[in-house]
């Protein structure tokens, strides 16, 4: 462990002296880094391999057993196909560090985990109810969907909020809630654009999201126990959706079999000159995510020799991906063209067309009506486990 230095003053003699610390003190800026360095070094010496895609993930294959370890500061999650391997490793950690075994995973960083023979579910029901309680909306009338259809917010319309801190805190808490509720991802990324000067229409729209959460606070993700290990992704864009900058919104969702494992709703960094360009930039972002996920699957020794399926509802964008000839209208997006085409030629992705009515990524690019919104939710395995149990 690296040594820390601090300067102290000897009061009695009035002299300045330097004290060398044999270990890092709790509360210093470098304490967390030193802790992780010591912890990771211990794991690596015990046969673990650190993932290059996520430095907090460690895996070990020893004989017929497999152990995956995920660390967040001093909270650790272990997963293995062998109960004996878990017990032995916990005993090893207990000898090296002082730790407390909390048993089967049920609660982690605000996430509530439920495991059955049918699969695993994730939700943040307690966290959601705390938000509703803080804003006095536990008894409010619930809304069936989070945002009014085709609602467009601007940073120039409406009165400026007297207390912007309340809006900023709410958006921050909703942002953490998107970990298990991708159904509010589009709404939250929209609200995040007005953090500097929030106005009353922004707060009203955010309050509607809370009313939607009131309808199903236990809603979350469900991962079936028996699912294929093949990646498929849906990408979409809403061209010039931002009224202030005229930038488009990129939205995508990635599935491993039938399990939703990654999604994003984000405003693009540049203005697209056509719908094909906006869709193609969305394809490029999704391709990057697929490439990263393939590296993660490799860490778990999961063979993914088949190309990942990439569904897009824009024929022009698909032709750009397949056509090796650069045209005048696409030369300004050359880097994205090379990225998607290279992965296409390397058989990493396989772009396919999907009808707009079956485009799941619509959930991340625009505000939808109740029927279409809930139809897409059901296809993503986003359920309310408490309703399922009660029924």
């Amino acid at each position: 462990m690296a040594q820390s230095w601090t300067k102290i003053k000897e009061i009695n003699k009035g002299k300045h002296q330097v004290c060398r610390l044999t270990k890092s003190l709790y509360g210093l800026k470098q304490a967390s880094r030193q802790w992780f360095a010591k912890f990771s070094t211990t794991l690596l010496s015990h046969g673990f391999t650190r993932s290059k895609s996520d430095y907090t993930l460690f895996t070990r294959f020893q004989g017929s057993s497999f152990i995956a370890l995920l660390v967040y500061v001093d909270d650790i999650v272990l997963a293995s196909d062998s109960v004996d391997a878990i017990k032995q490793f916990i005993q090893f950690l207990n000898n090296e560090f002082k730790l407390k075994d909390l048993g089967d995973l049920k609660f982690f960083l605000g996430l509530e985990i439920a495991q059955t023979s049918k699969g695993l579910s994730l939700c943040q029901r307690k966290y959601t109810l705390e938000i509703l309680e803080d804003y006095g909306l536990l008894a409010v009338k619930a809304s069936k969907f989070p945002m009014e259809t085709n609602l467009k917010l601007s940073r120039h319309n409406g009165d400026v909020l007297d207390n912007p801190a309340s809006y900023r805190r709410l958006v921050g808490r909703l942002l953490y809630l998107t970990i298990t509720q991708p159904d509010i991802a589009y709404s939250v990324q929209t609200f995040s654009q007005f953090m500097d000067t929030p106005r009353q229409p922004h707060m009203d729209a955010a309050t509607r999201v809370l009313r939607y959460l009131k309808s199903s606070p236990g809603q979350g993700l469900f991962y079936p126990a028996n699912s294929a290990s093949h990646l498929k992704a849906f990408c979409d864009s809403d061209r010039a959706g931002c009224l202030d900058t005229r930038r488009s919104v990129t939205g995508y969702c990635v599935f491993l079999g039938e399990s939703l494992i990654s999604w994003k709703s984000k405003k693009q960094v540049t203005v697209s000159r056509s719908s094909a360009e906006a869709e193609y930039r969305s394809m490029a972002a999704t391709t990057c995510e697929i490439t990263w996920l393939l590296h993660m699957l490799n860490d778990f020794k999961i063979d993914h020799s088949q190309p990942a399926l990439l569904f897009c509802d824009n024929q022009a964008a698909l032709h750009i991906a397949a056509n090796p000839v650069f045209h005048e209208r696409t030369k300004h997006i050359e880097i994205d063209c090379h990225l998607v085409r290279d992965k296409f030629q390397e058989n990493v992705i396989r772009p396919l067309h999907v009808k707009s009515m079956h485009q799941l990524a619509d959930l991340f690019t625009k505000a939808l009506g109740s029927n279409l919104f809930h139809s897409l939710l059901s296809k993503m395995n986003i359920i309310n486990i408490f309703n399922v149990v009660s029924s």
Side-chain angles (χ1 to χ4, degrees):
M1 180 180 295
Q3 295 173 336
S4 301
W5 297 81
T6 184
K7 190 175 183 181
I8 63 173
K9 181 179 181 181
E10 189 176 358
I11 300 178
N12 295 332
K13 298 182 180 180
K15 296 180 180 180
H16 292 81
Q17 296 181 348
V18 174
C19 177
R20 185 174 67 180
L21 304 178
T22 58
K23 61 180 181 179
S24 182
L25 293 178
Y26 182 82
L28 295 180
K29 291 183 178 180
Q30 67 269 34
S32 57
R33 183 179 60 205
Q34 296 298 335
W35 148 250
F36 183 74
K38 180 178 181 180
F39 184 74
S40 59
T41 302
T42 303
L43 293 180
L44 295 176
S45 64
H46 201 62
F48 278 81
T49 301
R50 179 163 51 192
S51 171
K52 295 182 179 180
S53 302
D54 186 347
Y55 271 27
T56 64
L57 174 65
F58 297 83
T59 57
R60 187 186 71 180
F61 293 85
Q62 193 174 62
S64 59
S65 65
F66 163 74
I67 296 180
L69 182 148
L70 186 68
V71 57
Y72 181 84
V73 190
D74 57 354
D75 293 319
I76 302 171
V77 175
L78 290 172
S80 176
D81 55 359
S82 171
V83 177
D84 293 335
I86 286 286
K87 292 181 179 179
Q88 294 175 6
F89 181 67
I90 291 178
Q91 184 60 43
F92 164 76
L93 285 182
N94 195 37
N95 295 335
E96 296 290 331
F97 308 96
K98 184 178 180 180
L99 58 84
K100 183 178 181 181
D101 184 7
L102 300 179
D104 293 339
L105 183 63
K106 295 182 180 179
F107 193 83
F108 182 71
L109 301 177
L111 307 182
E112 299 173 47
I113 300 97
Q115 304 179 56
T116 66
S117 58
K118 295 182 179 180
L120 182 146
S121 67
L122 297 175
C123 73
Q124 293 169 278
R125 184 174 184 270
K126 181 177 180 294
Y127 182 74
T128 302
L129 293 176
E130 288 176 354
I131 298 176
L132 293 174
E133 183 179 7
D134 289 346
Y135 285 85
L137 298 176
L138 282 176
V140 77
K141 182 179 179 181
S143 175
K144 294 183 179 180
F145 50 101
M147 185 176 283
E148 295 180 13
T149 307
N150 298 322
L151 174 66
K152 300 293 184 181
L153 297 174
S154 172
R155 62 174 58 251
H156 304 297
N157 298 333
D159 298 329
V160 177
L161 294 178
D162 296 332
N163 182 20
S166 177
Y167 175 85
R168 293 164 185 160
R169 184 168 182 265
L170 174 58
V171 174
R173 300 183 74 176
L174 291 177
L175 185 63
Y176 190 70
L177 193 58
T178 59
I179 294 176
T180 59
Q181 291 208 214
D183 45 339
I184 64 172
Y186 171 74
S187 303
V188 175
Q189 74 86 17
T190 302
F191 303 151
S192 300
Q193 301 174 29
F194 313 110
M195 299 288 275
D196 55 341
T197 311
R199 297 176 179 269
Q200 191 59 47
H202 309 149
M203 190 65 184
D204 293 340
T207 303
R208 181 187 174 91
V209 172
L210 292 180
R211 291 171 49 205
Y212 165 72
L213 296 175
K214 170 64 170 56
S215 65
S216 54
Q219 187 162 270
L221 299 169
F222 179 73
Y223 297 104
N226 299 320
S227 181
S229 58
H230 186 209
L231 287 176
K232 62 179 180 180
F234 295 80
C235 65
D236 191 28
S237 71
D238 182 25
R239 180 172 178 259
C242 179
L243 296 179
D244 301 314
T245 63
R246 307 312 297 176
R247 296 179 186 175
S248 306
V249 174
T250 287
Y252 65 75
C253 53
V254 186
F255 294 81
L256 182 63
E258 301 301 320
S259 303
L260 179 62
I261 60 174
S262 180
W263 58 89
K264 176 172 284 190
S265 177
K266 184 179 180 180
K267 188 166 65 174
Q268 296 179 2
V269 297
T270 59
V271 178
S272 297
R273 301 174 62 187
S274 65
S275 59
E277 180 183 342
E279 294 278 356
Y280 200 78
R281 293 190 186 279
S282 177
M283 289 182 64
T286 312
T287 301
C288 292
E289 184 69 10
I290 290 175
T291 303
W292 179 77
L293 288 172
L294 288 174
H295 290 306
M296 290 291 292
L297 292 179
N298 185 58
D299 291 332
F300 291 103
K301 306 300 181 184
I302 297 178
D303 181 35
H304 197 284
S305 55
Q306 300 179 0
L309 304 181
L310 179 56
F311 294 96
C312 178
D313 59 3
N314 188 281
Q315 291 280 14
L318 292 172
H319 288 314
I320 295 174
N323 191 350
V325 179
F326 284 93
H327 299 284
E328 182 179 357
R329 293 185 178 181
T330 61
K331 63 183 181 181
H332 57 289
I333 54 173
E334 181 178 356
I335 295 178
D336 285 344
C337 286
H338 278 307
L339 172 67
V340 178
R341 286 175 182 167
D342 286 349
K343 296 302 180 181
F344 184 22
Q345 294 173 2
E346 294 171 6
N347 210 32
V348 174
I349 62 171
R350 182 185 175 190
L352 296 172
H353 181 260
V354 64
K355 294 183 179 180
S356 297
M357 61 184 300
H358 301 304
Q359 176 57 273
L360 301 186
D362 273 349
L363 193 71
F364 304 97
T365 58
K366 56 184 70 71
L368 304 175
S370 178
N371 294 335
L372 180 57
F373 179 81
H374 288 284
S375 175
L376 296 181
L377 283 186
S378 63
K379 296 177 182 178
M380 292 184 179
N381 268 339
I382 300 176
I383 63 172
N384 187 345
I385 186 175
F386 295 91
N387 288 347
V388 173
V389 172
S390 61
S391 61

